[in-house]
């Protein structure tokens, strides 16, 4: 028995044993005192003082001791117990129930675990929690036991110190396990005899050894082929004897083709005489294969590069040349060794440095780049090369080097420059054409805004040139144009731009803060240069010019605006007589000024949502119900009020604004479609009819735009009808067919006023004809108009087309159209065009005619 106690004493914490013994002694004394106290009245203060004196020794203990009576009230507590239970002195606990000591969660533990355990076994050991004064939890170790005669004894201890120590030990063990077992590489821990102590999951997987059979086995027998064990054993022995590290690479015993690189390091604890070793492995099979492949590829690369006609180079990611193919001598004139060590910035033209920097950065990031750049030869001349820059990955997956293949494109580049010149210059005079001129005007305006200076544009038109052309022929006219161009160019500065705008029209751009006086002097000189006769085909010819001048200003946003102002001034100069110039002034042409203002405001109206769509119902003449609506754009100007479509639609057509305007109307009409479909009784699902302009037909992406609007507004294609004029039908037959592939309906607007060929109607898949209101007006009054309407309806019926009559104004016209078999009517008799709210209100009344 003594041996058993000794063993227990050796394995336990002496402080814990001492506390337990002391607690046991205290328990005996406490029970004895309890029996003595039990028979006495609690009100006898002197007897209580005597009992407390007997526990002075117990009161000095570090652990808490408390006695509770049958009712659960404290009858005794030492100072440690009082402190642990939140009282300043033991006396504060006397007579209090244990319920008042614990928060609800602690009291729950007492009720649920402690009291049942005492009733069942007479004792309970565990942890309970109470709250400190600041609300923080305090975990107490509680040993509770029944006391004879009723009640219980408590031994209390602060568990936080033990818990923190245990947590630290547990965390240390878990970290060890996580480090060894969870390492992402093969790790094996060996003792001095080369036996395995522990190993990571990757090591167990690599060696294909079950976990229960790995520990205690000889590392060399597990991980090293028999032919290499003696060498590895010697290296490990040196590590154990001398410390340091050892590295060795071996095949796996079960897989000879796999090569593993191991690195062994001596490890020992301060209180452990037996040293061990940590062996870390890495599967280098793939690396070996990559090295072999790279060696093979390098040999192949050099073979190809040495025999390539293009310039092939290897670079560091920053651009420095590591290798150049022998072709560098024939292409650039450098020897191979002369290029090595240079970088692309040294070889490249300074204008190309930005492109070179961007391409090197992108290639270093793993993206192949193609660029055109100039490289300098030993004579200092530059040659154009087209270069493909490729990243070469290294073993880690990053970019280790760059490879460039460059082809000399100097001849092609010269040809491209020639083509570019031809594209931007007029062939007869060699002057810049309209495209290049407008680009330079744009740059000049931008530069002037930045520097706070003005530029001037001259628009020059030859007077009576048509007479010369018609009387002398186009060949003489061309020679005259070339001669005029030469005289104008000789008059202005070299920094100014003279361009042929078209026909007999020229443009002149004057830069660098031009004043009115400067521009006037230039205009005077040009007009004087026109005064001497031009000799053409042995004949002297006199020709004059009219010049308009316009200056840049903050309100002029585009070069087109500036040229248009100059054009307006030029026409005013022509009105004044031949050989004159005028500087643009808004007062010189109020109509032109208003036209320009409306154009500018129309651009703003598109951006500021000042445009609205009005709708006019289309009525089925068979049922008398609304079958669709035609969308008509209106402009509600915030200051001018309503601007009529006759005023802004032609301007929008001329300036190209009709394109975005037309798409806007189409989108808005498709969006409003749902409101009409749910408003009232319709002849069928509502049809949205929208006009298409000639400019829209010229847009290459017309079909894509229509498809996009249909998808984004969730509109069925056969619910959208696009109205085109007869002239557009003749000129854009192919576009009509393309639109039909989208699935929309096509209607010919104002039918009978143009020159449609019946063959077009037969071959094109149009859906509807709209009879012009001018013919509907004469129904029942004019025999010719009635005959035309009847013919159109008969024609449409034979071609299986719908017919809509525009401009229905009265009951007589409606009755006549019905008798002729017309399908649909539209006009003021049914309803005027109105905003969407009015048309919805009309439909909600379920109208019928």
């Amino acid at each position: 028995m003594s041996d058993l106690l000794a063993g227990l004493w050796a394995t336990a914490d002496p402080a814990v044993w001492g506390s337990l013994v002391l607690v046991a002694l205290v328990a005996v004394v406490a029970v004895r005192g309890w029996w003595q106290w039990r028979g006495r009245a609690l009100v006898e203060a002197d007897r209580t003082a005597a009992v407390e004196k007997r526990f002075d020794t117990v009161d000095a203990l570090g652990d808490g001791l408390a006695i509770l009576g049958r009712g659960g009230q404290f009858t005794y507590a030492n100072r440690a117990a009082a402190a642990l239970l939140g009282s300043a002195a033991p006396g504060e606990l006397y007579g209090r129930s244990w319920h008042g000591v614990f928060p609800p969660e602690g009291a729950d533990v007492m009720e649920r675990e402690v009291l049942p355990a005492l009733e069942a076994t007479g004792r309970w050991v565990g942890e309970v929690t109470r709250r400190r004064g600041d609300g923080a939890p305090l975990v107490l170790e509680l040993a509770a036991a029944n006391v004879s005669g009723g009640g219980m004894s408590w031994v209390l201890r602060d568990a936080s110190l033990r818990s923190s120590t245990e947590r630290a030990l547990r965390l240390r063990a878990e970290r060890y396990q996580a480090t060894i077992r969870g390492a992402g590489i093969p790790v094996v821990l060996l003792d001095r005899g080369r036996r395995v102590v522990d190993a990571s999951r990757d090591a167990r997987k690599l060696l294909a050894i079950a976990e229960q059979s790995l520990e205690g086995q000889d590392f060399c027998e597990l991980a090293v082929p028999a032919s290499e064990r003696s060498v590895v054993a010697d290296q490990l022995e040196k590590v154990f004897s001398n410390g340091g590290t050892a590295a060795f690479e071996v095949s796996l015993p079960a897989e000879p083709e796999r090569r593993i690189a191991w690195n062994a390091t001596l490890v020992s604890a301060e209180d452990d005489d037996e040293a061990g070793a940590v062996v870390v492995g890495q599967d280098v099979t793939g690396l070996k294969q990559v090295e072999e492949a790279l060696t093979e590829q390098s040999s192949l690369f050099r073979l190809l590069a040495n025999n390539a006609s293009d310039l092939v180079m290897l670079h560091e990611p920053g651009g420095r040349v590591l290798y150049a193919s022998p072709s560098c001598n024939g292409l650039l004139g450098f020897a191979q060794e002369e290029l090595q060590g240079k970088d692309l910035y040294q070889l490249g033209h300074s204008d190309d440095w930005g492109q070179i920097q961007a391409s090197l950065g992108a290639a270093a990031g793993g993206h192949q780049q193609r660029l055109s750049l100039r490289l300098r030869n030993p004579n200092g001349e530059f040659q154009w090369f087209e270069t493909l820059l490729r990243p070469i990955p290294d073993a880690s997956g990053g970019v280790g080097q760059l490879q460039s293949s460059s082809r000399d494109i100097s001849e092609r580049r010269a040809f491209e420059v020639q083509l570019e010149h031809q594209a931007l210059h007029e062939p007869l005079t060699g002057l810049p054409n309209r495209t290049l001129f407008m680009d330079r005007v744009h740059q000049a305006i931008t530069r002037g805004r930045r520097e706070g200076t003005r530029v001037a544009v001259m628009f020059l038109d030859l007077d009576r040139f048509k007479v010369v052309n018609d009387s002398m022929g186009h060949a003489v006219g061309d020679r005259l144009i070339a001669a005029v161009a030469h005289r104008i160019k000789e008059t202005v500065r070299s920094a100014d731009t003279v361009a042929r705008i078209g026909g007999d029209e020229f443009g002149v751009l004057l830069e660098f803060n031009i004043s009115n006086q400067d521009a006037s002097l230039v205009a005077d000189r040009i007009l004087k240069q026109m005064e001497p006769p031009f000799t053409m085909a042995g004949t002297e010819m006199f020709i004059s010019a009219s010049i308009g001048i316009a200056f840049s200003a903050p309100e002029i946003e585009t070069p087109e605006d500036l040229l248009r102002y100059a054009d307006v001034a030029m026409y005013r100069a022509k009105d004044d007589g031949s050989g004159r110039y005028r500087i643009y002034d808004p007062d010189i042409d109020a109509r032109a000024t208003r036209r320009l203002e409306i154009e500018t405001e129309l651009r703003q109206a598109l951006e500021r949502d000042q445009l609205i769509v009005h709708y006019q119902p289309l009525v089925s003449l068979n049922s008398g119900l609304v079958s669709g609506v035609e969308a008509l754009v209106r402009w509600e100007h915030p200051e001018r009020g309503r601007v009529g479509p006759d005023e802004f639609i032609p301007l929008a057509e001329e300036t190209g604004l009709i394109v975005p305007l037309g798409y806007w109307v189409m989108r808005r009409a498709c969006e409003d479609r749902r409101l009409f479909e749910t408003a009232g009784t319709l002849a069928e699902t509502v049809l949205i009819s929208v006009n298409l302009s000639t400019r829209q037909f010229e847009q290459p992406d017309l079909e894509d735009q229509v498809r996009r609007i249909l998808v984004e507004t969730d509109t069925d294609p056969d619910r959208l009808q696009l109205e085109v004029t007869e002239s557009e039908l003749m000129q854009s037959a192919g576009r009509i067919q393309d639109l039909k592939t989208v699935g929309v309906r096509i209607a010919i607007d104002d039918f009978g006023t143009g020159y449609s060929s019946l063959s077009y109607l037969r071959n094109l898949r149009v859906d509807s004809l709209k009879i012009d209101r001018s013919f509907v007006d004469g129904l029942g009054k004019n025999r010719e108009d009635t005959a035309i309407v009847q013919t159109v309806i008969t024609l449409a019926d034979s071609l299986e087309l719908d017919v809509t009559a525009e401009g229905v104004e009265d009951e007589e016209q409606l009755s006549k159209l019905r008798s002729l078999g017309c399908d649909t009517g539209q006009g003021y008799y049914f309803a005027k065009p109105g905003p969407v709210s009015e048309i919805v209100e009309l439909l909600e009344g379920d109208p019928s005619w």
Side-chain angles (χ1 to χ4, degrees), residues 294-308 312-315 323-325 390 392 401-405:
L294 286 176
T295 301
E296 182 180 353
Q297 289 179 3
S298 178
S299 301
L300 180 61
F301 169 78
R302 289 186 180 276
L303 176 64
L304 294 174
N306 289 336
N307 293 277
V312 179
M313 293 189 286
L314 288 178
H315 311 265
Y323 165 82
S325 63
R390 300 183 183 91
I392 299 177
Q401 295 178 351
L402 305 177
Q403 182 259 319
S404 65
S405 299

Side-chain angles (χ1 to χ4, degrees), residues 622-783:
N622 295 324
S623 65
L625 301 176
V626 174
S627 61
V629 293
E630 180 180 357
L632 303 165
V633 66
R634 297 292 184 263
W635 183 5
E636 296 291 343
H637 194 284
E639 297 175 0
R640 303 179 189 271
R642 178 168 295 180
V643 181
D646 292 341
E647 186 172 3
F648 72 86
I649 292 296
L651 180 61
E653 285 274 7
E654 181 181 339
T655 60
L657 286 174
I658 195 67
V659 175
L661 176 60
Y663 290 140
W664 179 84
V665 172
M666 190 183 303
R667 180 183 297 277
R668 179 58 58 85
C670 288
E671 290 171 349
D672 290 342
R673 171 184 54 85
R674 299 186 188 89
L675 299 175
F676 301 136
E677 290 183 345
T678 59
T681 303
L682 303 172
E684 53 186 285
T685 304
V686 69
L687 179 71
I688 299 295
S689 192
V690 180
N691 291 282
L692 275 186
S693 72
T694 303
R695 281 292 189 98
Q696 284 179 279
F697 263 98
E698 295 172 354
Q699 303 305 307
D701 63 342
L702 172 61
E703 294 80 20
D704 293 336
Q705 291 284 359
V706 173
R707 283 192 184 93
R708 184 178 297 112
I709 290 172
L710 291 173
V711 171
E712 292 175 356
T713 60
D714 192 25
T715 301
D716 291 336
D718 61 355
R719 296 297 92 205
L720 176 63
Q721 177 170 278
L722 302 180
E723 298 186 13
V724 300
T725 63
E726 287 187 81
S727 59
E728 289 165 353
L729 177 69
M730 298 287 289
Q731 298 173 10
S732 308
R735 298 311 296 274
I736 297 291
Q737 298 291 60
D738 293 339
L739 280 172
K740 287 299 295 181
T741 63
V742 179
V744 298
R745 293 172 54 87
I746 301 295
I748 301 177
D749 195 17
D750 300 333
F751 188 78
T753 61
Y755 47 86
S756 287
S757 167
L758 291 180
S759 63
Y760 275 87
L761 287 180
R762 180 187 64 192
N763 297 326
L764 289 178
R765 294 182 297 157
V766 298
D767 301 281
S768 179
L769 302 179
K770 298 191 73 172
I771 303 174
D772 187 68
R773 67 181 64 247
S774 61
F775 301 119
V776 177
D777 260 350
L779 273 178
K781 305 171 187 175
N782 184 301
R783 186 178 61 184

